[in-house]
Amino acid sequence: MIVAAAEHTFSQFGYKGATMAAIAARAEVTRSVLTRHFPTKANLFAEVITNPLLQFVDEWTQRWTRRLGGQPSEPELVREFISDLYHNSRTHLGSLRLLMFSQEHLEPVVRQEVLTKINVGLSAVLDIANREIDSHG
């Protein structure tokens, strides 16, 4: 509830315009409950921005890893990846917009936290791609 409320509030007001009080009110929790889970607005923002992408990467890499033994075709895997990424992007359009357009307005610490989380998540996709490339010589 908190992350969904934060995604809506951040996408509506941006990072600077969103307040922890407004997010707590939208999530229908007290501010102390909110700060127990996310001590700072920066922590919450990083979660909102990175969670949909990392969730997509995690689900997709698990499914892809299970299927690698069956040798699915490369076009099939690429089509599946793009389809899943598109669905995830449509579902989390607010987070995607924030990711694309708010980086220049973020404090350096927040920007670095977001980029670090994204890089860690995307490294799983890179590992799978490297394994596939290596298996084909």
Side-chain angles (χ1 to χ4, degrees), residues 10-126:
F10 283 129
S11 65
Q12 188 173 24
F13 299 106
Y15 178 75
K16 293 195 184 223
T19 65
M20 293 292 270
I23 294 167
R26 181 160 187 88
E28 298 180 353
V29 298
T30 64
R31 180 123 186 229
S32 63
V33 168
L34 175 64
T35 57
R36 190 175 316 127
H37 294 284
F38 300 97
T40 68
K41 185 166 79 166
N43 296 137
L44 181 54
F45 184 79
E47 181 72 17
V48 166
I49 290 294
T50 59
N51 190 46
L53 179 63
L54 297 180
Q55 181 181 351
F56 159 74
V57 167
D58 185 52
E59 291 169 1
W60 191 83
T61 54
Q62 286 180 29
R63 188 171 69 240
W64 207 36
T65 301
R66 285 193 303 267
R67 293 183 60 205
L68 283 178
Q71 294 301 317
S73 70
E74 290 164 1
E76 178 185 4
L77 292 172
V78 170
R79 194 172 21 255
E80 194 174 294
F81 179 82
I82 292 170
S83 174
D84 290 352
L85 183 60
Y86 175 77
H87 175 72
N88 182 274
S89 299
R90 295 289 298 165
T91 302
H92 299 284
L93 192 55
S95 290
L96 184 59
R97 283 184 182 143
L98 285 168
L99 179 62
M100 293 172 63
F101 299 117
S102 65
Q103 284 196 25
E104 65 275 3
H105 302 293
L106 296 179
E107 301 157 6
V109 173
V110 177
R111 184 179 317 117
Q112 187 58 46
E113 185 174 349
V114 168
L115 294 176
T116 298
K117 283 185 167 190
I118 289 172
N119 285 337
V120 167
L122 290 178
S123 68
V125 174
L126 183 60

